């Protein structure tokens, strides 16, 4: 479903701020794979997701989504393949617009915007039904402005928007990190539910090691713009959090003792 | 005397109200501080005046004004999106460029008189509407039609994409909308309305003047903000109505302070101060609220935030 070859990104090349964020990443993700992505601050996790989504063009390398070369396509064109949820709950929704308007825009993801009514009564029925899955009572608040919702509610809504039209690829970047633990857990449960129902191919960045090993069927670890560990199958099943930290130390030559990855648990 | 003053306020509020709706589109919906407005208002006036002056149909001149304004907005959008020039600077560049363009449109003259020429108002009088009501009727008709069209448009797929571009560009881009296109569209729409207003005003006062658009953006802002503060923004319909009413209230305030003896030459200073006060009012309210109660409503905070990136 996703095939990345030798992907490289250097920010501010030739300046004192030069930063090699990705150094020749290659990754094959099969349809239906749910891959969790871990790594320290600045490892390049967000950059990897941004490159897949097309936020900035790569310096080198190939990205293929469902058989189609996309690395030269602008972000809004790639949007027809990709659903995204960001870390910041404010980033995934338009605050001044209503819940139903936000959902309607998500329903047209990747389609041409036309001069026809943005929301039909049929859409509303569909939205109510989908919103009730969140269990937050939002199905009765279709015309509430999203800015009035809490961070957790907005993030749950963003998740629903990202999967409303099942994308070929779901990109989640620490999407529960800014929420309080209970809300984060709830949003994560919803994530697993939606992913499972639609059999979505997913990349999920997380700083929670427990979630990283429990959710999905594969875990990759990044460091300094490279993938330093790729766990799946039996090997992943037999790996615990302490093993993971040990592996990080061995592969990167650094310790994670002071990293928020540990503190997060 | 007083009655005719209030009637003049209504006429002006409506005719300039179309400009205010244009400013609402760029400034509020698109969140783009567009200074093109000063130039495109005059552009609309100049185009309409020249067409009428040359003996063509005033309705043609008025429509052409709308399209020329839209074209100017497209260029501002092009400067900003394709050439990556900052929004404020893109608008300033267009405003300055349009000054020369407007002089050319008016045949090199800084003023073009339409005295004793047929305008859209004379056409309206021809249908049996009393002469002294012509401007108000035409202004009201245009404002209602424009408000209605905007209300419908902003709820279409495209209109929602436009609103989302101003609200959260990253989000709507990740939902597959080319925000360069929506920005250009919004600037074209906004400046088209501003130019239409210029055309209406030029025919109303029977001349176009190359300086008539100076400070127009501040007048537009004052009207938008005054309307929002007084009439509220809770729904799209309310917001649209509020800015139109804001335009009338603004004209009323101006008429009052002039009656109280404010010299015409101080009007722009007065308007600027009015905008400063209106924009800082959420902040002032917040400070006062904190002093007296310690807590304050979310409305002030929301407004306050939206004024920051102007
Ligand atoms: N737009 C950008 N411009 C410059 N440097 C960036 C940009 N985005 C990320 N970086 C740098 O690239 C590195 C990787 O960042 P990121 O992908 O955000 O890491 P992670 O998400 O793993 O914490 C960091 O050193 C970061 O400072
Ligand atoms: Mg990150």
């Amino acid at each position: 479903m996703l095939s990345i070859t030798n992907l490289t990104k250097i920010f501010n090349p030739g300046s004192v701020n030069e930063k090699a964020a990705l150094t020749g990443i290659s990754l094959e993700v099969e349809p239906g794979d749910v891959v969790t992505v871990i790594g320290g601050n600045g490892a390049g996790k967000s950059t990897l997701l941004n490159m897949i989504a097309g936020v900035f063009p790569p310096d080198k390398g190939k990205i293929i989504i469902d058989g189609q070369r996309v690395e030269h396509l602008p972000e809004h064109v790639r949007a027809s393949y990709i659903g995204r949820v960001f870390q910041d709950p404010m980033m995934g929704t338009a605050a001044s617009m209503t819940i139903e308007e936000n959902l309607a825009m998500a329903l047209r993801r990747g389609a041409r915007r036309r001069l026809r009514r943005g929301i039909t009564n049929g859409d509303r029925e569909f939205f109510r039904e989908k919103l009730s899955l969140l269990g937050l009572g939002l199905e009765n608040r279709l015309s509430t402005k999203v800015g009035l919702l809490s961070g957790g509610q907005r993030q749950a809504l963003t998740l629903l928007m990202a999967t409303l039209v099942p994308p070929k690829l779901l990109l989640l970047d620490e999407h529960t990190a800014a929420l309080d633990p209970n809300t984060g857990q709830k949003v994560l449960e919803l994530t697993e539910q939606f992913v499972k129902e639609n059999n979505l191919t997913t990349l999920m960045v997380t700083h929670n090691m427990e979630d990283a090993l429990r959710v999905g069927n594969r875990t990759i670890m990044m460091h300094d713009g490279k993938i330093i560990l790729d766990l799946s199958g039996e090997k992943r099943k037999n790996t615990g959090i302490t093993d993971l930290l040990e592996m990080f130390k061995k592969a990167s030559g650094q310790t994670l003792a002071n990293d928020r990855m540990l503190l997060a648990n | 005397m007083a009655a005719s003053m209030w009637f003049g306020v209504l006429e002006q509020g409506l005719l300039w109200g179309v400009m205010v709706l244009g400013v609402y589109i760029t400034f509020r919906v698109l969140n783009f501080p567009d200074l093109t407005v000063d130039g495109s208002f005059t552009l609309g006036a100049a185009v309409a005046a020249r067409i009428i002056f040359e003996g063509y149909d005033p309705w043609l001149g008025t429509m052409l004004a709308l399209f020329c304004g839209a074209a100017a907005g497209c260029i501002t959008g092009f400067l900003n999106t394709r050439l990556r020039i900052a929004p404020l600077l893109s608008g300033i560049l267009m405003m300055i460029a349009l000054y020369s363009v407007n002089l050319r449109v008016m045949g090199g003259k800084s003023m073009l008189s339409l005295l004793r020429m047929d305008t859209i108002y004379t056409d309206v009088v021809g249908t049996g509407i009393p002469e002294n009501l012509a401007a108000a009727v035409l202004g009201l008709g245009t404002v209602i039609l424009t408000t209605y069209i905007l209300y419908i448009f902003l709820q279409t797929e495209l209109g929602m994409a436009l609103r989302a571009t101003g609200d959260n560009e990253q989000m709507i881009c990740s939902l597959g909308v080319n925000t360069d296109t929506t920005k250009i569209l919004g600037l074209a729409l906004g400046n088209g309305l501003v130019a239409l207003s210029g055309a209406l005003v030029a025919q109303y006062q029977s001349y176009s003047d190359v300086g008539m658009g100076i400070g127009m953006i501040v007048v537009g802002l004052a009207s938008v903000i005054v309307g929002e503060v007084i009439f509220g923004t809770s729904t799209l319909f309310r917001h649209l109505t509020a800015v139109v009413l804001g335009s009338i209230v603004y004209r009323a305030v101006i008429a009052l302070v002039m009656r109280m003896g404010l010299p015409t030459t101080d009007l722009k200073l007065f308007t600027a101060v009015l905008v400063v006060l209106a924009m800082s009012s959420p902040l002032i309210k917040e400070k006062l609220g904190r002093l007296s109660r310690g807590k304050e409503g979310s409305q002030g905070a929301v407004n306050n935030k939206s004024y920051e990136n102007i």
Side-chain angles (χ1 to χ4, degrees):
Chain A
M1 185 55 75
L2 171 68
S3 166
I4 294 175
T5 320
N6 196 26
L7 194 63
T8 301
K9 181 72 191 179
I10 299 171
F11 287 112
N12 311 313
S15 79
V16 281
N17 293 324
E18 178 170 305
K19 172 74 200 174
L22 296 179
T23 51
I25 294 244
S26 293
L27 179 69
E28 296 288 331
V29 180
E30 300 302 322
D33 267 359
V34 178
V35 183
T36 56
V37 184
I38 54 176
N41 268 328
K45 307 178 297 290
S46 296
T47 305
L48 176 63
L49 264 53
N50 281 333
M51 300 282 284
I52 296 170
V55 177
F56 10 74
D59 297 334
K60 254 196 309 203
K62 263 202 296 199
I63 305 174
I64 297 173
I65 300 176
D66 198 24
Q68 163 117 32
R69 287 278 292 265
V70 299
E71 72 272 4
H72 58 281
L73 296 177
E75 184 180 0
H76 66 270
V77 176
R78 284 189 225 183
S80 56
Y81 304 109
I82 295 170
R84 290 195 84 178
V85 184
F86 309 93
Q87 177 172 351
D88 181 353
M90 306 301 143
M91 269 188 72
T93 43
S96 68
M97 299 176 73
T98 63
I99 292 179
E100 60 179 11
E101 285 171 337
N102 274 275
L103 285 167
M105 292 189 285
L107 194 59
R108 308 282 183 278
R109 183 162 48 76
R112 238 182 93 88
R113 264 56 173 195
R114 293 170 198 278
L115 270 180
R116 63 179 174 209
R117 201 142 58 109
I119 311 170
T120 65
N121 285 333
D123 291 340
R124 286 198 180 90
E125 258 331 289
F126 179 61
F127 296 159
R128 267 195 208 100
E129 187 187 308
K130 288 287 177 181
L131 282 167
S132 66
L133 299 176
L134 300 181
L136 297 169
L138 297 183
E139 61 273 21
N140 302 318
R141 299 174 65 186
L142 282 186
S143 47
T144 299
K145 284 188 182 171
V146 167
L148 299 174
L149 304 182
S150 70
Q153 289 172 324
R154 282 180 79 163
Q155 201 65 328
L157 182 62
T158 308
L159 180 69
L160 180 58
M161 287 166 62
T163 54
L164 198 61
V165 179
K168 292 195 192 304
L169 200 57
L170 179 63
L171 302 178
L172 309 168
D173 192 353
E174 303 202 39
H175 68 305
T176 61
L179 308 175
D180 69 75
N182 282 335
T183 316
Q185 204 50 46
K186 169 92 185 138
V187 169
L188 188 62
E189 277 165 25
L190 286 168
T191 308
E192 294 186 69
Q193 184 190 333
F194 290 162
V195 165
K196 199 166 164 203
E197 275 168 12
N198 299 297
N199 194 28
L200 298 175
T201 312
T202 304
L203 289 188
M204 179 176 105
V205 177
T206 176
H207 62 246
N208 185 315
M209 305 297 250
E210 213 174 285
D211 292 341
L213 288 172
R214 184 182 58 78
V215 177
N217 61 337
R218 185 174 166 193
T219 300
I220 61 176
M221 185 185 275
M222 289 183 66
H223 179 69
D224 261 353
K226 285 190 268 299
I227 295 175
I228 55 170
L229 187 70
D230 190 341
L231 284 174
S232 56
E234 276 305 303
K235 196 158 169 236
R236 182 170 183 263
K237 271 197 196 100
N238 299 325
T239 303
I241 296 176
T242 35
D243 304 323
L244 212 51
L245 294 175
E246 199 50 44
M247 287 177 198
F248 184 87
K249 195 172 169 185
K250 235 170 91 188
S252 68
Q254 290 179 9
T255 167
L256 272 174
N258 270 331
D259 198 277
R260 65 197 170 111
M261 285 166 90
L262 259 184
L263 300 173
N265 281 301
Chain B
M1 168 80 200
S4 77
M5 180 185 98
W6 292 118
F7 192 68
V9 161
L10 181 69
E11 284 179 341
Q12 292 168 14
L14 292 169
L15 296 176
W16 269 272
V18 180
M19 176 276 294
V20 174
L21 284 168
V23 170
Y24 164 77
I25 291 290
T26 51
F27 174 73
R28 267 292 176 257
V29 174
L30 206 52
N31 200 12
F32 190 110
D34 178 29
L35 299 191
T36 314
V37 168
D38 280 26
S40 54
F41 186 80
T42 314
L43 178 67
V47 167
R50 181 66 189 268
I51 293 284
I52 293 167
F53 189 80
E54 298 293 336
Y56 294 104
D57 190 309
W59 296 95
L60 172 75
T62 308
M63 280 299 115
L64 210 57
L66 178 91
F67 286 115
C68 290
C74 281
I75 299 174
T76 305
F78 179 83
L79 297 183
N80 173 241
T81 59
R82 301 291 147 84
L83 305 186
R84 306 270 164 231
I85 299 172
L88 270 175
L89 190 54
S90 303
I92 291 174
L93 289 169
M94 267 316 278
M95 176 179 89
I96 296 299
L98 281 174
Y99 190 84
S100 300
V101 173
N102 293 336
L103 276 171
R104 271 185 186 272
V105 171
M106 296 203 289
K109 299 194 202 84
S110 64
M111 207 185 116
L112 209 56
S113 172
L114 299 177
L115 229 52
R116 282 183 295 279
M117 283 180 210
D118 275 354
T119 65
I120 52 176
Y121 302 105
T122 31
D123 272 8
V124 169
V125 172
T127 66
I129 289 168
E131 196 171 340
N132 57 349
L133 288 183
V137 166
L138 208 54
L140 188 65
T142 313
V143 162
I144 289 179
L145 189 67
T146 308
T147 308
Y148 179 73
I149 291 175
L150 287 180
Y151 179 65
I152 298 293
F153 169 69
L154 289 174
Q155 294 181 89
T156 62
E157 290 175 9
L158 197 58
M160 290 201 305
L162 186 72
R163 287 157 66 201
T165 303
D167 185 306
N168 187 343
E169 186 176 350
Q170 167 66 51
M171 168 258 191
I172 194 65
C173 185
S174 78
L175 291 177
V177 168
N178 184 345
T179 52
D180 285 359
T181 311
T182 46
K183 280 183 201 168
I184 293 173
L185 175 75
L187 287 163
L189 181 61
N191 282 290
L193 292 177
V194 170
L196 172 63
S197 175
L200 295 176
V201 167
Q203 296 173 72
Y204 171 69
Q205 59 190 22
S206 291
Y207 67 89
S208 90
D209 178 312
V210 75
M212 69 192 275
I214 295 175
M216 200 49 66
I217 180 65
V218 183
V219 173
L221 285 183
S223 307
V224 166
I225 296 170
V226 165
E228 286 175 345
V229 168
I230 298 179
F231 302 104
T233 61
S234 56
T235 63
L236 182 60
F237 183 75
R238 186 157 181 178
H239 205 158
L240 281 165
T241 321
V243 302
V244 171
L245 294 177
S247 173
I248 297 171
V249 171
Y250 169 78
R251 292 292 156 186
V253 171
I254 293 298
L256 278 179
V257 293
M258 284 180 67
R259 261 191 106 177
M260 280 155 54
L262 187 85
T264 325
T265 44
D266 285 344
L267 267 187
K268 291 200 193 325
L269 175 63
F270 176 81
T271 306
V273 172
L274 188 68
V275 171
V276 170
L277 285 180
M279 281 187 157
S280 53
S281 77
L283 196 72
I284 295 168
K285 241 191 263 167
E286 191 184 354
K287 292 261 157 73
L288 290 178
R290 239 186 235 151
L291 282 180
S292 60
R293 240 168 270 160
K295 232 189 169 182
E296 68 120 18
S298 64
Q299 183 67 27
V302 170
N303 279 342
N304 194 9
K305 184 174 170 285
S306 55
Y307 295 157
E308 265 166 16
N309 42 14
I310 293 154

